[in-house]
Amino acid sequence: MSARDNILARIRQNRPQASALPDIHAVPFIRYDDQFEAFATLIRNLGGDAVQLQDGQSVADIVAARWPDAGRTVDLTVAEHEEVDDPHAWHDVDVAIVPGQLAVAENATVWVSHPDNRFRSIYFLTLKLVLVVPREAMVDTMRDAYARIDMEEHGFGAFISGSSRTADIEQSLVMGAHGAMAALVIFV
């Protein structure tokens, strides 16, 4: 028997006894009286924002009011939208308006999963990300979210939360380090 096999055999002999997993259904989970308020408060603390579309308003109206001097804007929520086959083609997008399928109040995240899977780079290359989510697609917790999403639906999905930032380099806050510098969630 090799030294490696000896070591592995001794590890297996001294493995601790398995313990039972906790019953996650026995624990009461978070429920929010006002899911939108919980979501909006948290995303604002993360450097983003959330608004509800009002009667007579359009997503384009909100975006134009927020960023009147925006450069290239790509709206993937409309039927006639810009198509690209090369993910690098999104490198100069200033504002990306994309559909979100589900929002989670407890951590202000939005589940995105685009059916043709060609647009995923836009979520991370744009300077300003606008996620458009149906109002009725809000859940309280990640546990609720995982119960509603289908991980096999399109081959790609991600939870996106707030604007991107990091402070791990010399403890200096850097916005947009791993994605959009600004995030706006519009509930429709």
Side-chain angles (χ1 to χ4, degrees), residues 4 57 59 67-68 76 78 80 86 88 101 108 118 121 128 148 153 163 183:
R4 177 183 179 272
Q57 253 185 338
V59 169
W67 298 297
L76 299 180
V78 295
E80 297 293 321
D86 178 11
H88 298 95
Q101 286 70 32
R118 293 186 323 204
S121 63
K128 300 166 189 85
R148 288 192 46 187
E153 60 190 3
S163 51

Side-chain angles (χ1 to χ4, degrees), residues 149-160:
I149 62 174
D150 180 3
M151 296 299 283
E152 303 293 323
E153 60 190 3
H154 305 303
F156 171 79
F159 283 103
I160 297 178

